[in-house]
């Protein structure tokens, strides 16, 4: 009887137990550039850190918005 109850309880666990986590809805992720402006996921911006300026991509890592260095310099007009 105990093993039958355990099987029923295990079957009732959420989908996360299978390693599948449902997508969050309504979560608005973005990056912020050096001037405090919002940059959407997948867009690039010229960032200046110290005395170095570089083109960076707004991306996600471990569910956290991050800047990835594209290894390209900023285009000056």
């Amino acid at each position: 009887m105990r093993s039958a109850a355990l099987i029923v309880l295990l079957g009732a666990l959420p989908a996360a137990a299978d390693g599948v986590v449902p997508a969050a809805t309504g979560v608005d992720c973005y990056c912020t550039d050096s001037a405090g402006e919002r940059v959407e996921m997948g867009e690039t911006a010229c960032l200046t850190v110290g005395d170095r300026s570089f083109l960076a991509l707004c991306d996600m890592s471990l569910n956290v918005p991050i800047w990835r260095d594209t290894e390209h310099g900023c285009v000056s007009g």
Side-chain angles (χ1 to χ4, degrees):
M1 183 67 170
R2 289 184 132 193
S3 61
L6 180 60
I7 291 171
V8 170
L9 287 175
L10 290 175
L13 290 175
D18 294 334
V20 178
V21 179
T25 57
V27 177
D28 194 21
C29 295
Y30 58 92
C31 297
T32 306
D33 67 10
S34 302
E37 298 294 320
R38 179 182 173 134
V39 178
E40 299 299 327
M41 287 288 149
E43 293 182 0
T44 57
C46 181
L47 300 181
T48 302
V49 178
D51 59 350
R52 180 175 174 249
S53 293
F54 60 96
L55 194 62
L57 172 71
C58 178
D59 201 3
M60 292 288 285
S61 178
L62 300 174
N63 295 327
V64 178
I66 64 162
W67 287 107
R68 291 193 189 274
D69 187 347
T70 63
E71 299 185 14
H72 291 93
C74 295
V75 177
S76 58

